[in-house]
Amino acid sequence: MKLLCSLVLVIAALEAGAAIYQESFASNPAVHGWKTLGNSNLFRWNATNQYLEVTWDSAQANSFFYLPLST
């Protein structure tokens, strides 16, 4: 039943013109257009382990790591 519901949602999204995006962060996300808003020092791509490191600091203002959409 879960598979059927998931399939229906994917078909509905595709028919509505929705886009599906997936990122593994296996390479530097900045090269692929990812941006930071706020304190960029809270985000660092770890090239050795191939993942994004995020520092949570509640004393800092909200910061975001995002991919601008071209739509």
Side-chain angles (χ1 to χ4, degrees):
M1 184 66 175
K2 278 183 156 181
L3 178 60
L4 179 59
C5 289
S6 296
L7 182 59
V8 168
L9 289 175
V10 169
I11 291 171
L14 292 174
E15 296 228 351
I20 298 172
Y21 188 82
Q22 182 176 339
E23 177 68 63
S24 68
F25 296 114
S27 60
N28 188 345
V31 175
H32 301 287
W34 287 81
K35 309 273 185 208
T36 57
L37 179 65
N39 188 351
S40 62
N41 294 329
L42 299 175
F43 307 96
R44 185 175 86 82
W45 183 69
N46 184 318
T48 303
N49 296 319
Q50 298 180 325
Y51 59 75
L52 183 68
E53 295 177 348
V54 179
T55 301
W56 177 265
D57 186 348
S58 60
Q60 300 286 328
N62 287 339
S63 297
F64 303 93
F65 191 78
Y66 67 98
L67 180 65
L69 301 177
S70 62
T71 60

